[in-house]
Amino acid sequence: MPGHVEPKVTVGLALTHGLSASEYHRIVELLGREPTYTELGLFSALWSEHCSYKSSRVHLRRLPTEGPRVLQGPGENAGVVDLGEGLALVLKVESHNHPSFIEPFQGAATGVGGILRDIFTMGARPIAILDSLRFGPPTDDKSRYLLGGVVSGISFYGNCIGIPTVGGEIVFAEEYRQNPLVNVLCVGVVRRDRLFRARAEGIGNSVVYVGSKTGRDGIHGATMASESFDQSSEERRPTVQVGDPFTEKLLLEACLEALASGAVVGLQDMGAAGLACCAAEMPSRAGTGIEVDLSRVPAREAGMTPYELFLSESQERMLLVVAKGREAEVEKIFAKWELDAMPIGKVTGDGLLRAFMDGRLVAEVPVRALTDEAPVYERSIERPAWLDDLQSFDPASLPEPTDPGRVLLDLLASPTIASKEWVYRQYDQMVGLNTLVCPGSDAAILRIKGTSKAIAVTTDGNGRACYLDPFVGSAQAVAEAARNLACAGARPLAVTDCLNFASPERPEVMWQFAQAVDGIASACRAFEIPVVSGNVSFYNETSGAGIYPTPLIGMAGLLEDAAWATTQWVKAEGDLLVLLGDPGGSLGGSEYLELTQKKVAGRLHALDLSRERAVQSACLAAIEAGVVGAAHDCAEGGLAVALAEMCVAGPESLGVEIHLTGVGRLDTLLFGEAPARIVLSVSEEGLLKLQRLLREWPIPWQVLGRIGGDRFRLDVNGRGRVIDCTVGELRDAWRYGFSRFMA
């Protein structure tokens, strides 16, 4: 901008940019001089927690990231795994927590737009979205407002661009009242030989800006996402971007066409930190440098400064590296889609990010100083002293329920367990005609067109369990995700994780984080499932009050035959219900304990990963043998809730007569939560085949009862019917338990 005078850079100014004094002095040391104001902006964005992972990187290295199907692990825009037949699956999950608290509609909408771009930058066509959400209790006005805005934002963006939202989960707890979590997962399919990466390769190649024009929206978005909130945080709406799904659709098609032309060498989404991030990370990955002329950046506002052009997070923008001499070809493709495609620079070989504005040099920084040499911290770790008291609580000190039927109805009506149909009915689930199993079952299932295969995708996480034991709780999240895929008929391929925690500057939070990473790593190794992508979201706290530690596991699996697709609801009267695994569970950290006692305490059920794997393998073998009519895992609410969900979740509600045999308290048998448990429905003839199959796995199992009638009757150890209610009562409790708050 002619005549523009940048502020003088000082330590104090650096502090207002989210940098520490020691980080500022490190910048001066790396540059050998004071940074310019534009350079300070580059460092503040690229060294933010959101971009640099400076508190988490030392721990993330412990995750298993390799496997025979892995084509691309962490470090790129998304992970990639081999599907066979020359195809690959691209998957990634991202958070948009802070923006969604400040402006729920646009925060969630732009979160969807960003994760879609992460997928198609790899050359893949996105085929499905899943969302994993956390809010305060729906009895709270603010929580309902945030939920309504987030769901509308996801629905608006996904429906308009034509990508189905096919699954996810929503959990409610007081700990998310001031810090909702909005995690969005996307999967896409690409030919293996058409994979692209975010690298600025080829000295002399052109750097081309494509997509929407740049405005002042979203400046400091990455920095804002790396800070805790306070009571004034809702005033920060200018740091939330505004999305346009119709432009994104044009950008998607134009990018895929440009990639198919062979003229594009690499590309990256201008997401967090905008052009600054692309201009630093792309040459850093390739070991090159980059030179850009900011005066050539298409701008929609007059007088934008170099600082603003670099740090704007305006949506629907990408940076392409185009083979020298083929710029006109790419410009023609984008012009067809009515989008800007402007050459703004070139790839260099000197390892520097060099930027000009109106012929004036405004930034000259080694790209490694912005990326590889960003600070890495080994934060203090300390197990919280209060955890001993919570874990020492013994649920056996409580009286057993006098009316288990009433408890079951209340559990089914609790917002976390109840049907989320109010939410997913707002999403287009079938656009693209790939969806075989819509929201409402253990996992979404999508066909892979042109093959006999399908993929299953799920998201799982339990913050309450991780609060009580972050290692076991995180490992259980991996196990539950794999179990959900097994119930759908799929064998796990890969994990993408979103790790949501409070401030890393608090030793107890970093202890939770380190334990969670180790729990995920332990379970992934046991299941031989690599972690191929992910995201870390710290500083999810307001005025010192943080969220539950909430590692979210997104997992994709493969069905070699789409005909194996299985759902959780029972379908035929006369079929039998069979439990794989032990009938008993644990009340520690359970939905039952919180519902009936308003208490989050106790010890989690022990996790036996070899038993878990055996139960899942048995379930898959039975599905592939064609003997399973329905399969459902036991999770929140325990066995009784799982059985009730099987009765009421389908298009037709059916009753059951259950005779449960087990050792322990009545409430533990009915409502205790434990891993490694799956309920199958099989025919009389199928039971004989199942019995033969189960000889291969040393797991306990029992026939629970028979499907039929219009009542849910459950007997325990011959004591008579401890639960006897109509299926209509169960259905109404489950179907309207959550939606009644959103009427």
Side-chain angles (χ1 to χ4, degrees), residues 321-652:
V321 174
V322 175
K324 187 176 181 180
R326 302 189 68 178
E327 298 87 352
E329 189 177 341
V330 170
E331 290 175 41
K332 183 178 179 181
I333 291 171
F334 280 86
K336 184 183 85 172
W337 295 97
E338 300 181 350
L339 293 170
D340 284 315
M342 175 64 70
I344 64 169
K346 63 182 179 180
V347 179
T348 64
D350 58 10
L352 296 175
L353 164 55
R354 190 180 292 108
F356 295 88
M357 185 76 174
D358 298 320
R360 178 172 57 92
L361 181 67
V362 294
E364 189 173 53
V365 181
V367 292
R368 287 179 56 84
L370 293 167
T371 56
D372 296 359
E373 295 182 41
V376 176
Y377 296 126
E378 293 197 36
R379 303 277 191 187
S380 297
I381 291 177
E382 183 179 343
R383 184 180 185 274
W386 44 259
L387 199 53
D388 289 334
D389 287 339
L390 288 180
Q391 291 184 346
S392 66
F393 174 75
D394 183 5
S397 62
L398 301 172
E400 292 192 355
T402 57
D403 187 352
R406 181 70 261 165
V407 173
L408 175 59
L409 291 169
D410 290 344
L411 280 169
L412 289 171
S414 64
T416 293
I417 290 177
S419 169
K420 306 306 186 299
E421 186 176 4
W422 181 89
V423 172
Y424 62 72
R425 290 284 290 179
Q426 299 182 51
Y427 302 148
D428 190 332
Q429 306 152 24
M430 295 300 297
V431 62
L433 301 179
N434 294 314
T435 312
L436 298 177
V437 175
C438 293
S441 196
D442 285 323
I445 304 178
L446 301 118
R447 79 175 85 246
I448 305 298
K449 285 179 180 172
T451 77
S452 61
K453 301 179 180 184
I455 60 163
V457 195
T458 187
T459 61
D460 284 287
N462 190 323
R464 187 169 59 225
C466 291
Y467 173 68
L468 294 175
D469 190 327
F471 181 93
V472 174
S474 299
Q476 285 187 355
V478 174
E480 182 175 355
R483 199 181 322 126
N484 282 333
L485 295 186
C487 289
R491 297 182 181 274
L493 289 172
V495 160
T496 178
D497 57 12
C498 199
L499 309 180
N500 305 275
F501 288 79
S503 171
E505 298 167 40
R506 293 164 49 195
E508 67 271 21
V509 173
M510 281 311 297
W511 177 83
Q512 292 172 331
F513 182 84
Q515 288 284 301
V517 169
D518 288 340
I520 293 169
S522 174
C524 284
R525 287 194 179 93
F527 290 114
E528 301 179 72
I529 308 172
V531 180
V532 297
S533 60
N535 175 60
V536 176
S537 175
F538 276 131
Y539 294 101
N540 292 288
E541 62 177 55
T542 297
S543 301
I547 61 166
Y548 283 144
T550 311
L552 182 279
I553 303 299
M555 191 180 293
L558 178 65
L559 295 84
E560 290 288 352
D561 187 342
W564 293 336
T566 306
T567 53
Q568 72 180 43
W569 46 85
V570 297
K571 301 166 184 71
E573 295 210 30
D575 278 3
L576 302 170
L577 290 175
V578 178
L579 172 66
L580 306 182
D582 288 311
S586 170
L587 295 179
S590 66
E591 191 77 18
Y592 167 84
L593 192 62
E594 184 169 52
L595 176 75
T596 61
Q597 306 297 322
K598 308 300 180 190
K599 205 170 187 64
V600 177
R603 290 192 176 274
L604 304 182
H605 196 283
L607 178 61
D608 182 338
L609 291 171
S610 61
R611 166 69 63 82
E612 179 74 61
R613 192 162 182 177
V615 166
Q616 294 181 24
S617 297
C619 174
L620 281 165
I623 289 173
E624 292 171 1
V627 300
V628 175
H632 188 30
D633 81 312
C634 298
E636 290 84 2
L639 178 58
V641 165
L643 291 168
E645 288 173 335
M646 294 182 78
C647 292
V648 302
E652 180 184 2

Side-chain angles (χ1 to χ4, degrees), residues 15-50:
L15 294 176
T16 67
H17 279 65
L19 295 164
S20 67
S22 62
E23 288 172 344
Y24 176 73
H25 293 309
R26 174 63 176 154
I27 292 168
V28 173
E29 180 183 334
L30 287 168
L31 295 179
R33 58 176 171 78
E34 298 282 345
T36 67
Y37 183 60
T38 299
E39 290 169 343
L40 178 68
L42 291 172
F43 278 102
S44 73
L46 272 296
W47 283 19
S48 69
E49 190 73 59
H50 189 76

Side-chain angles (χ1 to χ4, degrees), residues 618-697:
C619 174
L620 281 165
I623 289 173
E624 292 171 1
V627 300
V628 175
H632 188 30
D633 81 312
C634 298
E636 290 84 2
L639 178 58
V641 165
L643 291 168
E645 288 173 335
M646 294 182 78
C647 292
V648 302
E652 180 184 2
S653 298
L654 293 171
V656 291
E657 183 83 36
I658 300 296
H659 301 278
L660 176 63
T661 301
V663 178
R665 290 165 51 107
L666 180 62
D667 49 3
T668 302
L669 287 170
L670 295 179
F671 311 118
E673 297 175 10
R677 297 191 297 173
I678 293 174
V679 181
L680 307 177
S681 74
V682 299
S683 65
E684 290 271 13
E685 299 78 14
L687 180 62
L688 297 175
K689 194 168 185 178
L690 179 65
Q691 287 174 319
R692 291 194 295 270
L693 283 171
L694 291 177
R695 293 171 189 161
E696 297 184 31
W697 291 277

Side-chain angles (χ1 to χ4, degrees), residues 221-305:
T223 307
M224 178 268 291
S226 306
E227 299 172 346
S228 299
F229 277 166
D230 56 31
Q231 298 306 317
S232 66
S233 294
E234 291 177 77
E235 300 170 7
R236 303 181 65 175
R237 282 182 169 81
T239 59
V240 178
Q241 314 95 312
V242 177
D244 179 357
F246 301 105
T247 298
E248 177 109 337
K249 174 63 174 173
L250 299 177
L251 184 62
L252 185 159
E253 299 299 341
C255 282
L256 293 181
E257 185 174 337
L259 294 175
S261 74
V264 177
V265 176
L267 70 166
Q268 182 165 328
D269 162 41
M270 290 189 216
L275 176 59
C277 189
C278 293
E281 291 183 347
M282 291 182 74
S284 175
R285 293 188 186 103
T288 60
I290 196 169
E291 184 176 291
V292 296
D293 182 354
L294 295 173
S295 59
R296 293 181 63 82
V297 171
R300 67 168 184 264
E301 299 184 46
M304 291 190 69
T305 66

